Amino acid sequence: MGGQYRITGNKYPRMRRPRRHGRLVFLLVASAAALGVVGWGTWQLIDVFTGGKKASAAGSSTHCATGTAAKSPPSPASTAQALPKPGQITVNVLNATPRSGLAKQTADELKKRGFRIGQVGNATKEYDKKVKGAGLLLGPASSMNTALPVLGTQLPGAERRADTRKGTDVDLIIGTGFQQLAQRPAADKALAALSGPKPAPSAPAKGC
């Protein structure tokens, strides 16, 4: 080339656009910001699906525990307080069978086991020779869940019935199917189980 533009030396200049450093820096900053936002969002999601869930589970557990406690049956101690001791029960022993001496023999055995003995003799005409089973336990309505269950431990299978009497005495009317009272160890075991029953497990509430 001639004129004022003359190339000197053995290297030719490269004809290209100058680098735009500003755009590159902007892209890097934007990428870093986007990664930060994504990371923060991910952390929030992890916190929601772990920490929040644990808190909810803890709250539900507390609620279920409270509900279970509210529905739990009374403790054995409170149940035992509602039942009288044998020494607090007065029993009239009446014989409704043709066998003589059976009322006195049964009354003596009940006395050995701690029961109070009231009247001993033959059953009234209403029940005489009309009790087919082992026996009939009679008492006021209030005795159906107190004195009669305690007395029933001594004569399993005896029918329990309430009448309109006044007072707290109960009757043991010996029936024609009577053989003997329950053996003392078995009767004591049944009485202990009655005085301290194990509470039945309650069903957990739904969602617990």
Side-chain angles (χ1 to χ4, degrees):
M1 275 186 193
Q4 60 179 345
Y5 301 101
R6 183 173 297 178
I7 299 173
T8 59
N10 54 4
K11 293 184 178 180
Y12 295 92
R14 296 181 179 179
M15 306 299 290
R16 62 182 180 182
R17 296 179 181 179
R19 297 179 179 177
R20 298 182 179 180
H21 296 286
R23 179 177 296 181
L24 180 60
V25 171
F26 174 78
L27 290 176
L28 290 175
V29 172
S31 299
L35 290 175
V37 171
V38 172
W40 182 83
T42 303
W43 178 259
Q44 292 298 316
L45 288 175
I46 292 174
D47 182 63
V48 169
F49 287 105
T50 57
K53 199 169 188 179
K54 291 178 180 178
S56 176
S60 299
S61 176
T62 303
H63 174 73
C64 293
T66 303
T68 301
K71 296 179 181 178
S72 297
S75 64
S78 62
T79 304
Q81 291 176 358
L83 296 175
K85 302 293 184 182
Q88 298 172 312
I89 302 173
T90 299
V91 184
N92 302 316
V93 184
L94 307 175
N95 185 8
T97 75
R99 293 177 284 173
S100 62
L102 201 56
K104 184 179 185 307
Q105 177 184 347
T106 303
D108 290 343
E109 182 60 29
L110 286 175
K111 186 175 182 180
K112 292 178 182 178
R113 300 183 184 189
F115 290 88
R116 292 180 180 178
I117 303 301
Q119 180 184 351
V120 178
N122 293 325
T124 61
K125 186 177 180 180
E126 180 182 1
Y127 298 104
D128 189 28
K129 301 179 182 64
K130 296 178 182 179
V131 180
K132 303 300 181 182
L136 175 63
L137 307 183
L138 280 176
S142 60
S143 68
M144 290 297 292
N145 295 317
T146 54
L148 292 188
V150 174
L151 182 58
T153 60
Q154 311 302 308
L155 186 59
E159 181 186 355
R160 302 174 194 172
R161 191 185 303 172
D163 57 17
T164 58
R165 76 179 65 192
K166 295 181 180 180
T168 59
D169 290 6
V170 295
D171 297 344
L172 189 160
I173 303 177
I174 302 172
T176 55
F178 178 85
Q179 298 295 327
Q180 61 180 5
L181 294 174
Q183 294 294 324
R184 183 73 178 268
D188 290 345
K189 185 177 181 180
L191 184 59
L194 183 67
S195 301
K198 296 180 180 179
S202 59
K206 293 182 179 180
C208 295

